[in-house]
Amino acid sequence: MGAVSIEFSSVGVSPVQISAAVQIQIKELSGGFLSSLGPRPLGLIFEHAALSRFGILVVAVDSEDGTVVGYVLGATNTGSFYKDFLRHHWAVALRHFVPRLISVERMRKAVETLLYPLRGGKAAHGAPPAAELLDLAVTREMHGSGVAQGLFMAFVAECRLVGVEELNIPTTAGLDRAHRFYEKMGAVRESRVEVHKGEDAFVYRYSLTRSA
């Protein structure tokens, strides 16, 4: 593969780019709870991240043809992000989410996801930071190209703009590739939590002040 010029953007992310990011999530992170919700509910979450003052969505775009090749999704305050989402989109969310949450298992996972910011990731030296990197994915063709690192640093830059000093990165316990990536970027494993029943996750902490 020849050299590819990539642009990282968090401003003016278009509906087409959001849809492309959703498809990357579904394809590359197919085993996750969010992927199981389907394109439309995921699109609502991604759109809210792009517009909410508590959300961050950065897309990686091939400057040659405009193709979205990766994204990073997070929140400057995860609890406030979910509350803000429900406050502004409860009617639409009800219409699109409820059919996907018919099973008891999915309903339980949805509740656990909403409650996680209130109970998860507490470290020995105090409560966890409110900011979190929730999701980062690139297309398979871009693995090892540096796009993931660019997305991570773009996310950190967005956090700095609003005064975030630390952020949490929850990752499923079995995702060794993701663990190595975040450790390479300077994150430190803080704790092990059970976000969903029977499914452990590691919580990494990244200090923006130390990296600066």
Side-chain angles (χ1 to χ4, degrees):
M1 180 187 298
V4 179
S5 176
I6 303 296
E7 298 176 355
F8 301 96
S9 176
S10 63
V11 178
V13 179
S14 71
V16 172
Q17 291 174 329
I18 289 174
S19 178
V22 166
Q23 291 304 317
I24 292 173
Q25 212 277 353
I26 292 173
K27 184 177 180 180
E28 300 297 333
L29 303 174
S30 59
F33 167 67
L34 288 178
S35 291
S36 72
L37 295 175
R40 182 53 181 153
L42 267 180
L44 290 173
I45 295 173
F46 278 53
E47 180 183 346
H48 187 67
L51 298 175
S52 171
R53 62 193 177 98
F54 300 111
I56 297 174
L57 176 66
V58 181
V59 292
V61 181
D62 185 332
S63 58
E64 291 288 326
D65 60 13
T67 302
V68 175
V69 296
Y71 73 89
V72 59
L73 170 75
T76 57
N77 186 305
T78 308
S80 296
F81 174 74
Y82 287 137
K83 290 176 185 176
D84 193 46
F85 176 81
L86 292 173
R87 182 164 57 247
H88 287 90
H89 303 292
W90 68 269
V92 179
L94 197 64
R95 184 166 73 251
H96 289 286
F97 279 77
V98 169
R100 291 280 179 172
L101 298 176
I102 291 176
S103 74
V104 173
E105 178 70 7
R106 281 184 176 171
M107 184 66 77
R108 176 178 62 78
K109 286 191 173 184
V111 172
E112 289 169 343
T113 298
L114 290 172
L115 292 180
Y116 162 74
L118 301 178
R119 62 176 175 80
K122 289 192 176 180
H125 62 272
E132 287 192 325
L133 189 160
L134 300 171
D135 222 359
L136 187 156
V138 300
T139 59
R140 197 166 299 272
E141 295 77 15
M142 289 291 117
H143 287 185
S145 68
V147 172
Q149 289 93 326
L151 282 166
F152 184 89
M153 297 315 300
F155 182 83
V156 168
E158 292 293 321
C159 287
R160 281 204 177 99
L161 288 176
V162 292
V164 171
E165 295 183 351
E166 285 187 314
L167 61 92
N168 272 353
I169 310 169
T171 62
T172 303
L175 297 180
D176 294 338
R177 182 187 178 94
H179 303 158
R180 289 194 297 270
F181 170 76
Y182 291 124
E183 288 167 6
K184 177 182 176 181
M185 299 308 295
V188 178
R189 187 184 299 180
E190 279 282 319
S191 59
R192 189 179 187 123
V193 298
E194 190 179 60
V195 178
H196 300 302
K197 187 176 180 181
E199 299 178 16
D200 285 349
F202 294 134
V203 178
Y204 284 85
R205 183 166 294 192
Y206 183 83
S207 170
L208 279 71
T209 53
R210 190 185 311 125
S211 66

